[in-house]
């Protein structure tokens, strides 16, 4: 079993959080933010706005999927050396309930981390209820 507390780099986690929260493009357009880090965990937020609703008045599954994808890789970064690249290679999402208002919170938990791959579980809640769960696989590799 991995000892994520020993591998966790809080200073790097804060740099990752600041970078993610000041990024341009899709992430701020969708309203995603990183709230907090812990050893092997990250909490991200999808700010609700009617612009992310589907045609029947609930948050589009693609917006929830983007929140999950964002959370998957961000959970791993503070556990690896700066300069290591992490990217989602696959994920399975189970949508459990519709979201019609209020922010969504994703809690990502690293289940496994090796030198080349990681597995992360994400639970998404909305106003205190579980609305989606996901399991994702990620590639981990040094830049180069």
């Amino acid at each position: 079993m991995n000892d994520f507390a020993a591998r966790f780099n809080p200073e790097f986690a804060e740099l990752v959080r600041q970078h993610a929260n000041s990024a341009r493009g899709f992430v701020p357009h969708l309203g995603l933010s990183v709230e907090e880090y812990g050893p092997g965990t990250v909490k991200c937020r999808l700010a609700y706005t009617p612009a992310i609703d589907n045609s029947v008045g609930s948050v589009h599954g693609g917006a929830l999927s983007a929140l999950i994808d964002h959370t998957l890789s961000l959970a791993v970064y503070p556990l690896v050396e700066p300069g290591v690249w992490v990217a989602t290679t696959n994920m399975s999402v189970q949508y459990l309930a519709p979201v019609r208002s209020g922010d969504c919170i994703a809690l990502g938990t690293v289940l496994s981390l090796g030198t080349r791959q990681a597995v992360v579980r994400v639970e998404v809640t909305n106003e205190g209820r579980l609305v989606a769960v996901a399991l994702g696989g990620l590639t981990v590799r040094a830049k180069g």
Side-chain angles (χ1 to χ4, degrees), residues 2-4 9 25 29 33-34 50 53-54 57 60 67 69-70 76 78 92 95 103 109 123 125 135-136:
N2 290 310
D3 182 10
F4 297 133
N9 182 336
H29 176 74
S33 63
V34 179
D53 282 353
N54 60 25
H60 193 285
L67 169 64
D69 183 33
H70 191 59
V76 176
S92 173
Y95 299 100
D103 294 354
T109 304
E123 295 183 354
T125 58
L135 191 63

Side-chain angles (χ1 to χ4, degrees), residues 2-141:
N2 290 310
D3 182 10
F4 297 133
R7 295 176 75 166
F8 180 65
N9 182 336
E11 292 83 16
F12 188 53
E14 180 57 21
L15 289 174
V16 171
R17 187 188 72 75
Q18 289 176 9
H19 177 75
N21 288 347
S22 64
R24 297 184 346 211
F26 184 71
V27 168
H29 176 74
L30 196 57
L32 299 174
S33 63
V34 179
E35 301 290 305
E36 63 185 57
Y37 270 108
T41 64
V42 65
K43 185 185 340 180
C44 296
R45 177 180 303 271
L46 170 64
Y48 176 76
T49 172
I52 62 173
D53 282 353
N54 60 25
S55 62
V56 296
S58 60
V59 171
H60 193 285
L64 292 174
S65 181
L67 169 64
I68 291 165
D69 183 33
H70 191 59
T71 303
L72 287 170
S73 62
L74 289 173
V76 176
Y77 274 109
L79 301 176
V80 298
E81 293 295 320
V84 170
W85 180 71
V86 179
T88 305
T89 54
N90 63 75
M91 65 182 193
S92 173
V93 180
Q94 300 296 312
Y95 299 100
L96 306 173
V99 174
R100 291 193 168 72
S101 65
D103 294 354
C104 289
I105 304 297
L107 179 61
T109 304
V110 179
L111 302 179
S112 175
L113 175 58
T115 57
R116 294 186 180 188
Q117 64 181 356
V119 176
V120 177
R121 179 183 63 234
V122 177
E123 295 183 354
V124 180
T125 58
N126 169 255
E127 299 179 340
R129 66 190 171 116
L130 188 63
V131 296
V133 294
L135 191 63
L138 299 102
T139 293
V140 178
R141 72 169 205 216

